Amino acid sequence: MDALHELNNLVDRFPNSKYIKPAQEYDGQSWRRLIDHEVFVARFYLDRGHPKGAILRIKEALRRYPDSGATAELLLTLGETQLEMGQPASASRPFCASRRRMPRP
């Protein structure tokens, strides 16, 4: 989060800098790492028999990073977690939502 803050400062303060393009690339990579971390922690909870912790982690990631480009992946992980908890009805909502967000071939 600190890196994202500093990258945004760079873009805001020096919009004509030669470092804008690399900053934008790092910005995307930083968001990706934050999302990957949330999914990793959710799967960690799930692997250790704490599915409720996994669900809370995924829902928080969806709330914190709604425009991350990883919403479909998060929803898919949420649905998988709910299936593993024996909640197929609950799992259908994130699965359907993730399908709508996936790019068409």
Side-chain angles (χ1 to χ4, degrees), residues 1 3 12 22 26 38 45 49 56 58 64 70 76 85 94 97-98 105:
M1 290 305 292
D12 291 343
Y26 290 133
E38 296 298 328
Y45 283 139
L56 290 173
I58 295 165
R64 288 178 72 185
L76 183 62
M85 289 179 66
S98 67

Side-chain angles (χ1 to χ4, degrees), residues 5-18:
H5 177 73
E6 293 304 322
L7 289 168
N8 287 328
N9 272 346
L10 172 73
V11 172
D12 291 343
R13 293 179 63 196
F14 306 103
N16 297 322
S17 170
K18 67 180 181 180

Side-chain angles (χ1 to χ4, degrees), residues 54-75:
I55 287 175
L56 290 173
R57 197 69 185 224
I58 295 165
K59 286 183 176 181
E60 180 64 14
L62 286 165
R63 187 190 68 75
R64 288 178 72 185
Y65 313 117
D67 300 323
S68 68
T71 302
E73 178 183 2
L74 289 167
L75 288 168

Side-chain angles (χ1 to χ4, degrees), residues 3-4 10-11 14-15 17-18 24 27 35 38 40 46 50 54 62-63 66 68 70 73 79 81 92-93 96 102-103:
L4 286 168
L10 172 73
V11 172
F14 306 103
S17 170
K18 67 180 181 180
Q24 291 169 334
D27 182 78
I35 296 297
E38 296 298 328
F40 173 81
L46 192 58
H50 301 286
L62 286 165
R63 187 190 68 75
S68 68
E73 178 183 2
T81 303
S92 68
R93 286 187 294 276
C96 291
M102 289 184 160

Side-chain angles (χ1 to χ4, degrees), residues 19-64:
Y19 299 109
I20 293 297
K21 185 173 170 83
Q24 291 169 334
E25 291 172 11
Y26 290 133
D27 182 78
Q29 291 172 12
S30 298
W31 282 112
R32 185 72 236 166
R33 286 183 181 196
L34 286 169
I35 296 297
D36 288 347
H37 176 73
E38 296 298 328
V39 171
F40 173 81
V41 172
R43 291 191 188 281
F44 176 87
Y45 283 139
L46 192 58
D47 291 344
R48 284 165 181 69
H50 301 286
K52 290 181 182 177
I55 287 175
L56 290 173
R57 197 69 185 224
I58 295 165
K59 286 183 176 181
E60 180 64 14
L62 286 165
R63 187 190 68 75
R64 288 178 72 185

